[in-house]
Amino acid sequence: MEPTSLPPVVDVETWQRQLDDLRVREKAATRELDAIAAQRRRMPMVEMPDYTLEGAEGPVRLADVFDGASQLIVYNHMWFPGEKWQCPGCTGFTSQFTRLGFLEGYDARFVIVTQGPIGEALAYKERVGNKMTWYSTANSTFGSDVGAPPGGGFAVNVFLRDGDTVYRTWHTTGRGTEQLSHSFALIDLLPYGRQEEWQDSPKGWPQSPTYSRWVGSEDIAARYGPGAS
């Protein structure tokens, strides 16, 4: 599809000046993100009950989901009972994480917890080619207690383990999850950006309804699932 408009063409010196001006704001944003991370490291924490989840091998205590690590990131995946294709946003977001071994060097693990029954959840994981480790909170209140109840939305939660005691240290949802994703970071580098109607873009830039360019769960399965080439 041909673009409806193009950025202005300028000489190299003009381009460099504008890049330098933008870099000032980019550097300020980087320093602010560093300050936010520093504040996050100073957050207090809340002790969690001794939940039991369901994993591929059966019941597992929340403390054992850490698999020996002291830190745990949980993505609470939305789940719609009886549906073949689950939330495309959750499916697309978690499809990005295929190599998580580097977290071992930071004494951490990153897993998915969903409200779906474990058998259905594992079948869906296989169908869409997801590479993460999945657990189910269908038989516990864990999801409800961390902002992801049955029929509710998605969430990211972070936990710290001290022996058999688990503490909740951080939570976000909505666009707060974007910092964990490389997809939007790449798309936001592009001249036309996300091409969604809510974005502040120059006149004539391609724009579509929000979410209309997102890849669907069925498309993800075709690209990454068992039948993918």
Side-chain angles (χ1 to χ4, degrees):
M1 182 176 64
E2 290 293 328
T4 58
S5 188
L6 297 170
V9 179
V10 297
D11 58 75
V12 173
E13 290 76 16
T14 300
W15 179 85
Q16 186 64 54
R17 282 197 303 272
Q18 295 207 27
L19 180 63
D20 292 343
D21 288 343
L22 179 60
R23 188 59 41 80
V24 172
R25 297 187 67 182
E26 291 174 338
K27 288 291 187 181
T30 298
R31 288 190 289 271
E32 177 62 14
L33 287 173
D34 287 343
I36 290 170
Q39 183 175 348
R40 188 182 295 118
R41 289 191 293 273
R42 288 166 173 79
M43 281 283 293
M45 58 188 185
V46 177
E47 184 174 346
M48 303 296 287
D50 188 17
Y51 297 101
T52 297
L53 306 181
E54 296 287 333
E57 304 302 322
V60 55
R61 295 175 62 204
L62 178 60
D64 293 328
V65 173
F66 286 72
D67 196 26
S70 65
Q71 302 168 102
L72 177 70
I73 303 168
V74 169
Y75 184 84
N76 295 95
H77 196 297
M78 293 178 68
W79 190 266
F80 303 104
E83 296 293 328
K84 179 178 180 180
W85 302 111
Q86 297 298 326
C87 169
C90 293
T91 304
F93 178 83
T94 58
S95 71
Q96 301 173 66
F97 303 104
T98 59
R99 293 181 174 90
L100 291 168
F102 70 92
L103 286 173
E104 295 174 5
Y106 296 87
D107 191 23
R109 194 181 189 209
F110 183 18
V111 303
I112 291 174
V113 174
T114 185
Q115 290 286 351
I118 188 61
E120 295 179 22
L122 294 176
Y124 186 71
K125 162 186 162 73
E126 175 69 16
R127 187 179 309 130
V128 298
N130 191 282
K131 302 300 183 184
M132 296 180 68
T133 302
W134 287 55
Y135 296 91
S136 169
T137 183
N139 297 316
S140 83
T141 63
F142 173 76
S144 297
D145 293 346
V146 297
F154 63 95
V156 175
N157 284 280
V158 181
F159 303 93
L160 181 67
R161 182 181 63 85
D162 182 19
D164 286 337
T165 305
V166 175
Y167 301 91
R168 188 185 187 197
T169 65
W170 188 73
H171 164 268
T172 195
T173 188
R175 294 191 66 196
T177 61
E178 287 185 10
Q179 64 180 293
L180 309 180
S181 166
H182 67 253
S183 60
F184 287 126
L186 292 174
I187 294 168
D188 285 342
L189 293 178
L190 301 174
Y192 296 122
R194 304 185 195 187
Q195 303 177 44
E196 296 190 351
E197 291 173 336
W198 61 270
Q199 283 198 293
D200 180 0
S201 297
K203 184 178 180 180
W205 256 227
Q207 289 185 297
S208 306
T210 303
Y211 310 127
S212 61
R213 294 179 181 270
W214 288 27
V215 177
S217 300
E218 192 169 356
D219 297 320
I220 292 169
R223 294 180 184 185
Y224 307 122
S229 58

